């Protein structure tokens, strides 16, 4: 039997993701769905500066660069910690602190 992981949205992460432009929002939804099915997002990196097991989905869209920071290794849940548009090369300390 295939189990789909539940997404738990923390803080303002759901509203923040909903505010993404359509192309970035669609891509983010697709990537999260892959994780729910037990797969890996297309482009991600570990975010050890936030915590153990924390990952960042990297989304490149015509409208810009976006990030979704999540944890998926706690039971059958995916915890979305933070979603934001990336405006500089380095993730801002504010975004890391928020996550």
């Amino acid at each position: 039997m295939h189990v789909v992981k539940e997404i738990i949205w923390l803080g303002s992460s759901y509203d923040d993701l909903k505010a993404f432009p359509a192309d970035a929002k669609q891509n983010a939804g697709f990537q999260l769905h892959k994780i729910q099915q037990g797969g890996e997002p297309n482009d991600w990196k570990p975010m050890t500066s936030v915590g153990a097991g924390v990952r960042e989905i990297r989304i490149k869209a015509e409208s810009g660069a976006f990030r979704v920071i999540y944890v998926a290794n706690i039971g059958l849940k995916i915890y979305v910690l933070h979603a934001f548009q990336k405006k500089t090369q380095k993730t801002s300390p504010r975004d890391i602190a928020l996550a």
Side-chain angles (χ1 to χ4, degrees), residues 2-61:
H2 190 69
V3 178
V4 176
K5 289 187 174 192
E6 177 186 4
I7 296 179
I8 307 295
W9 302 90
L10 300 179
S12 63
S13 61
Y14 183 69
D15 291 332
D16 295 339
L17 191 138
K18 281 195 338 189
F20 283 10
D23 58 346
K25 186 172 17 181
Q26 183 176 13
N27 191 332
F30 177 74
Q31 300 305 323
L32 286 168
H33 184 71
K34 285 178 77 169
I35 299 164
Q36 282 184 290
Q37 302 293 324
E40 298 283 344
N42 293 346
D43 187 5
W44 67 275
K45 72 172 191 171
M47 291 293 289
T48 53
S49 58
V50 176
V54 178
R55 293 178 166 191
E56 174 185 72
I57 300 171
R58 303 189 294 191
I59 298 164
K60 295 176 191 83

Side-chain angles (χ1 to χ4, degrees), residues 16 69 87:
D16 295 339
I69 298 177
K87 297 184 188 230

